[in-house]
Amino acid sequence: MDFDLTDEQRLLADSVGRLMGDAYGSLEKRRAHAAEPHGWSERVWAQYAELGLLGLPFAERHGGFGGGAVELMIVMEAFGRGLALEPYLATVVLGGGLLRLAGSEAKQARLVPRVADGSLKLAFAHGEAQARYDLDDVATTARRAGDGWRLDGAKSVVLHGDCADLLVVSARTGGERRDRDGITLFLVEAGVPGVSRRGYPTQDGQRAAEILLEGVELTPDAVLGPVGGAAAPIRLAVDAALAALSAEAVGAMDALHALTLEYLKTRKQFGVTIGSFQVLQHRAVDMVVAIEQARSMAMYATMMAGTPEGHAAVAGAKVQVNRSARFVGQQSIQLHGGIGMTMEYLAGHYFKRLTIIESLFGDTEHHLREVTASGGLLGDLPSGSGLAK
Amino acid sequence: MDLRFTPEENSFRDTVRQFFTAEIPQPIRAKVADGRPLAREDIVTSQRILNRRGWAVPHWPREWGGQDWSPVQRYIFTEELQQNAVPQPLGFNVSMVGPVIAAFGTQEQKERFLPRAANLDDWWCQGFSEPGAGSDLAGLRTSAKRDGNEWVVNGQKTWTTLAQYADWIFCLVRTDPAARKQQGISFLLIDMRSPGVTVRPIVTIDGGREVNEVFLDEVRVPLENLVGEENKGWDCAKYLLGHERTGIARVGLSKLRVRRIKELARQMPSGDGTVWDDIEFRKKVASLEIELKALEITQLRVVSNERHRQGNKPDPASSILKIRGSEIQQATTELLLEMVGPYALPYREAVEGSNEPPVGPDWADTAAPTYFNWRKTTIYGGSNEIQRNIVAKAILGL
């Protein structure tokens, strides 16, 4: 049992941290990236590729770097601190995760090098208007057409779905709308006939898209993973994304707390710094406590995701991270006072990203229900303890 | 970064768990699990069983009965102890006066007191707080004046836990009234049987008799009962407060509580089923489990980090453990109270040998007293507000 980073991991943390400092580091730089055509920076994306971040979690034999969940955690935490805009979660964690979990050797060998060099951006087109947070609720259909498939349906709030070159689309090939069985994944080139996309900005300064699939003709090779058996890899990929988002939230909370602390130490009222007031000191401490609980659970999610108890662990982590994010976000605005309410000050942008992370892939209530349904995180009194009634 | 324990650590866990369940009498552990007050004999029996195995004072120096355990082993030991409802070895002996004497005492003091403290042959209590010195401990006024080869002690201590059982009290006393606050304080060992020592109970809101006032009136104490240097007692107090932090969050105890709540909720009738059938109740349990898991991982991070730490300086992170640990302990008592429902009402006098049958399930009557009693956890050991002051200063630099 240890929580130490290896030397390589520390090196990774340093270099991503440096990159974030250079590429972001100020609200002006972030605004400039957001003003680019896709709403993020191609130049920064190329730097991610150079640093090996885009190939990070893929096997070396496929052209990746063989990194694990801890490496992803390190990167996402740095992105949280920098408030990065690039489609890393969509491409590497979600799309890439599904590619790793469901893709054949041949598909991975073909696609991973293009993801790793930055030329191929992915998006996971899964959510639908009626589904809310139920991962098994898929109404989009894929019907056999000749020896291929024909896709019809509508995907909603697809993260970075507007800039993706290749969509990982879930569709029903069997079963009823909310069945676990009968979901299949397809790789769909964004430009093929029948795919129309409407991209739009999101509240946190990132991008998403509504995607319409109308009679999209696909070859047999478009299928990713087992026909009708995508629910399990989808669950695992989303759990990995939740662990990654937890880490991103921790990074964002760290930065936001530092910003708030700096403000408490410099802002003067009544002739003294406002950080000299005990009520504000204690609030700042409660923020630290909330952040440390979130950090612990983000680490827990990172280490547990993918194991048999992984889903409950990840859901539990999301509950804690969400609660901490809400508290830290709200309090940082409150402690800043009026300046925290303005678009031209950084704090509000962290607050908004944290708020969006709260709702991504399940809000607090959803994940609390998931933990409850799994029987909790602690188990029962051990038999033989002599303490049961 | 790895959450898994080594095979050696897991087998260590099995060994201690096996020992606790086999060797510590079940009736004593059941009392702990039920939240019933322990008799003096229960605590003595349990600690002596541990001491025979060499486990009453594992964190002491080796020559005085300590074990060469890693921080992880100590953590596992404490967690298993708490999860299996074994009475904690008396903290005043093993975590307070023992380590202070081992660090600051003379060879003679060590030989005289340490083995007896480990075996609970002497029951120690703590004479720190005074009516005018709570969170502001250095405001204490109990005085010790030198008279020949004795100290003459006058003053009043309060909140003295289990003083009614104690053979000895370790006190902070003012030996130089002219010195500034933290200076001029000394650490003194006083025999409770000395003439002039009076113990008066303070009944707490749960009806329990756990704490006391201790009056010291012209109590004569041999000079050699001073630990460390005269007027340097504050160093002993700081050392004591910084010692043995891994148990502070009491994660094991809260785990035991939550698991019992789950078990008992499945037995507590409600409508056509039990309390456990209510999804809203189960969500509250799950919510607490998440908070407890977050605390447990935070504690493990502190334990894992211990090997990188130098010296005996208290880790300010232990303030965070104290804050969350006490809040979660209190939350478990609130949830138990809620689960018990109407059967939290009947008040059962804690009279040994009472034959009155319980009203409702025989484990229900402790729910309310436990809830009442546990309000203490955010007050003692440096109130949670004091802990926030510490974090604000030591970590945040405010």
Side-chain angles (χ1 to χ4, degrees):
Chain A
M1 191 276 302
D2 80 84
F3 290 81
D4 299 340
L5 299 181
T6 64
D7 288 343
E8 289 78 17
Q9 289 167 341
R10 252 193 298 274
L11 214 62
L12 175 67
D14 287 348
S15 41
V16 191
R18 251 197 320 276
L19 194 159
M20 277 296 111
D22 294 344
Y24 284 87
S26 77
L27 206 46
E28 288 69 36
K29 285 185 183 171
R30 185 172 190 261
R31 218 174 266 139
H33 299 327
E36 290 194 35
H38 287 317
W40 49 270
S41 165
E42 293 280 1
R43 193 178 54 78
V44 174
W45 189 247
Q47 288 175 325
Y48 292 172
E50 250 169 73
L51 206 56
L53 304 185
L54 300 182
L56 189 65
F58 301 101
E60 289 176 48
R61 68 178 185 282
H62 296 137
F65 290 88
V70 175
E71 282 75 16
L72 264 186
M73 179 187 85
I74 291 166
V75 171
M76 291 301 293
E77 209 178 301
F79 286 174
R81 244 178 233 117
L83 269 183
L85 294 167
E86 286 68 34
Y88 190 83
L89 186 85
T91 297
V92 177
V93 183
L94 283 165
L98 289 165
L99 195 57
R100 274 190 302 122
L101 289 160
S104 63
E105 286 288 315
K107 275 205 177 66
Q108 294 191 57
R110 181 161 58 85
L111 296 174
V112 166
R114 295 179 54 208
V115 172
D117 71 14
S119 60
L120 186 70
K121 293 170 297 294
L122 308 175
F124 180 32
H126 180 61
E128 298 181 2
Q130 82 290 344
R132 203 169 163 83
Y133 301 125
D134 181 356
L135 291 181
D136 296 336
D137 190 336
V138 174
T140 296
T141 57
R143 294 194 179 83
R144 298 267 181 192
D147 60 348
W149 300 86
R150 185 193 152 95
L151 241 56
D152 286 283
K155 295 294 182 180
S156 192
V157 200
V158 176
L159 300 179
H160 283 112
D162 56 345
C163 65
D165 310 295
L166 187 64
L167 304 169
V168 183
V169 179
S170 59
R172 194 156 280 292
T173 48
E176 298 296 316
R177 200 190 86 207
R178 299 180 64 196
D179 283 354
R180 200 171 155 68
D181 289 333
I183 303 169
T184 305
L185 293 171
F186 295 89
L187 293 175
V188 180
E189 299 280 346
V192 301
V195 176
S196 50
R197 298 188 280 181
R198 180 166 67 87
Y200 49 87
T202 52
Q203 292 290 345
D204 52 2
Q206 301 202 8
R207 304 277 304 177
E210 300 299 291
I211 300 179
L212 206 56
L213 306 157
E214 292 171 302
V216 180
E217 304 284 348
L218 298 172
T219 63
D221 187 49
V223 174
L224 184 71
V227 171
I234 288 173
R235 174 80 276 161
L236 286 170
V238 169
D239 280 351
L242 284 165
L245 284 166
S246 296
E248 185 188 342
V250 168
M253 283 190 265
D254 269 342
L256 183 50
H257 190 259
L259 196 63
T260 307
L261 198 56
E262 186 57 36
Y263 190 77
L264 291 177
K265 288 177 180 175
T266 48
R267 169 74 175 169
K268 282 190 171 176
Q269 287 289 273
F270 307 105
V272 292
T273 57
I274 61 173
S276 64
F277 301 134
Q278 194 180 39
V279 75
L280 301 191
Q281 291 177 358
H282 284 197
R283 198 77 55 80
V285 171
D286 288 339
M287 290 165 76
V288 170
V289 173
I291 293 169
E292 290 311 318
Q293 304 314 290
R295 192 190 317 282
S296 291
M297 288 305 268
M299 289 175 168
Y300 182 58
T302 298
M303 288 185 270
M304 294 293 287
T307 67
E309 305 91 41
H311 179 58
V314 165
K318 189 71 183 340
V319 171
Q320 178 65 60
V321 167
N322 278 0
R323 286 175 173 167
S324 295
R326 180 157 295 194
F327 181 76
V328 171
Q330 291 181 346
Q331 292 308 321
S332 65
I333 300 295
Q334 178 69 22
L335 264 49
H336 274 95
I339 188 74
M341 290 298 298
T342 62
M343 195 65 104
E344 66 198 58
Y345 189 72
L346 195 50
H349 298 273
Y350 282 112
F351 173 54
K352 291 197 286 182
R353 178 61 185 156
L354 287 170
T355 303
I356 295 306
I357 288 176
E358 274 186 54
S359 69
L360 289 179
F361 301 104
D363 58 15
T364 308
E365 176 66 20
H366 172 81
H367 285 292
L368 183 56
R369 282 171 183 273
E370 292 287 292
V371 175
T372 305
S374 75
L377 299 182
L378 289 181
D380 295 320
L381 279 178
S383 58
S385 65
L387 298 173
K389 288 283 171 188
Chain B
M1 191 176 283
D2 192 342
L3 265 182
R4 286 168 303 183
F5 291 96
T6 63
E8 294 74 31
E9 286 162 351
N10 281 327
S11 102
F12 176 76
R13 185 186 290 278
D14 290 343
T15 306
V16 297
R17 178 182 297 171
Q18 158 71 20
F19 182 83
F20 292 154
T21 50
E23 301 296 329
I24 307 294
Q26 194 275 343
I28 295 180
R29 295 195 300 118
K31 274 195 200 176
V32 173
D34 281 354
R36 297 191 190 285
L38 293 168
R40 187 186 201 273
E41 270 321 293
D42 295 332
I43 297 171
V44 171
T45 301
S46 173
Q47 182 160 335
R48 286 187 184 160
I49 293 170
L50 292 176
N51 198 40
R52 269 203 299 280
R53 183 69 174 78
W55 289 352
V57 290
H59 51 290
W60 283 15
R62 181 102 198 143
E63 56 171 323
W64 299 108
Q67 300 281 348
D68 290 325
W69 287 349
S70 67
V72 176
Q73 280 178 301
R74 279 192 213 173
Y75 165 81
I76 290 173
F77 179 80
T78 304
E79 190 189 30
E80 286 300 323
L81 188 95
Q82 293 175 350
Q83 287 196 97
N84 289 287
V86 175
Q88 201 95 24
L90 191 69
F92 308 108
N93 286 34
V94 308
S95 300
M96 298 184 180
V97 78
V100 167
I101 292 175
F104 298 91
T106 62
Q107 185 62 21
E108 203 179 16
Q109 286 171 333
K110 291 177 192 176
E111 284 168 13
R112 179 178 173 199
F113 291 114
L114 290 181
R116 294 181 59 81
N119 201 45
L120 204 40
D121 296 329
D122 292 330
W123 185 299
W124 286 87
C125 63
Q126 180 184 25
F128 278 22
S129 295
E130 296 184 6
S135 289
D136 183 13
L137 184 58
L140 62 91
R141 284 162 56 185
T142 295
S143 69
K145 293 198 180 79
R146 211 189 266 265
D147 181 24
N149 54 0
E150 287 175 322
W151 297 101
V152 180
V153 181
N154 280 287
Q156 180 191 346
K157 295 293 176 178
T158 192
W159 311 125
T160 316
T161 301
L162 300 181
Q164 70 268 35
Y165 298 156
D167 305 300
W168 285 85
I169 183 169
F170 55 93
C171 284
L172 290 179
V173 294
R174 197 159 286 290
T175 38
D176 180 359
R180 284 195 306 131
K181 248 184 153 184
Q182 276 91 347
Q183 278 111 49
I185 291 174
S186 298
F187 195 96
L188 200 57
L189 311 177
I190 302 176
D191 189 332
M192 291 290 279
R193 286 155 300 196
S194 313
V197 177
T198 312
V199 176
R200 187 188 293 165
I202 301 171
V203 179
T204 44
I205 50 176
D206 55 317
R209 192 202 153 175
E210 201 173 47
V211 287
N212 302 272
E213 295 176 292
V214 176
F215 298 90
L216 302 158
D217 181 21
E218 294 290 313
V219 179
R220 302 191 78 85
V221 180
L223 285 186
E224 70 255 28
N225 286 15
L226 178 79
V227 178
E229 285 176 51
E230 186 176 343
N231 297 329
K232 290 282 167 66
W234 196 250
D235 293 343
C236 298
K238 271 199 308 194
Y239 179 85
L240 178 155
L241 296 169
H243 208 83
E244 184 60 9
R245 317 297 291 193
T246 53
I248 199 169
R250 299 176 92 182
V251 171
L253 181 70
S254 288
K255 278 186 177 179
L256 171 65
R257 285 250 181 82
V258 171
R259 288 175 180 145
R260 268 178 55 81
I261 289 169
K262 289 165 86 167
E263 159 138 351
L264 297 175
R266 294 187 182 106
Q267 301 170 27
M268 182 56 97
S270 176
D272 294 330
T274 67
V275 170
W276 191 245
D277 297 328
D278 178 2
I279 173 84
E280 292 305 320
F281 182 80
R282 291 207 307 279
K283 270 164 59 184
K284 285 185 192 173
V285 175
S287 185
L288 191 51
E289 288 186 58
I290 292 164
E291 290 181 47
L292 187 48
K293 179 57 77 176
L295 176 67
E296 181 183 14
I297 302 290
T298 307
Q299 167 143 330
L300 285 170
R301 286 168 52 204
V302 172
V303 170
S304 152
N305 208 26
E306 253 173 61
R307 70 192 130 180
H308 306 306
R309 290 182 61 79
Q310 312 286 324
N312 192 63
K313 274 198 179 157
D315 185 346
S318 65
S319 289
I320 293 175
L321 294 179
K322 201 282 172 164
I323 292 170
R324 282 310 286 151
S326 56
E327 288 172 349
I328 287 172
Q329 287 174 61
Q330 291 182 339
T332 65
T333 69
E334 286 175 55
L335 200 58
L336 180 68
L337 187 71
E338 177 180 334
M339 189 271 287
V340 168
Y343 288 111
L345 268 67
Y347 177 68
R348 185 156 140 196
E349 291 267 17
V351 181
E352 282 291 320
S354 161
N355 287 325
E356 285 290 314
V359 180
D362 68 356
W363 41 262
D365 62 295
T366 55
T370 303
Y371 165 64
F372 298 144
N373 183 279
W374 240 253
R375 303 313 299 168
K376 71 189 174 188
T377 58
T378 46
I379 300 169
Y380 67 33
S383 74
N384 285 20
E385 288 69 27
I386 292 290
Q387 303 299 336
R388 287 183 174 89
N389 289 349
I390 292 170
V391 177
K393 198 168 159 217
I395 298 181
L396 302 184
L398 286 168

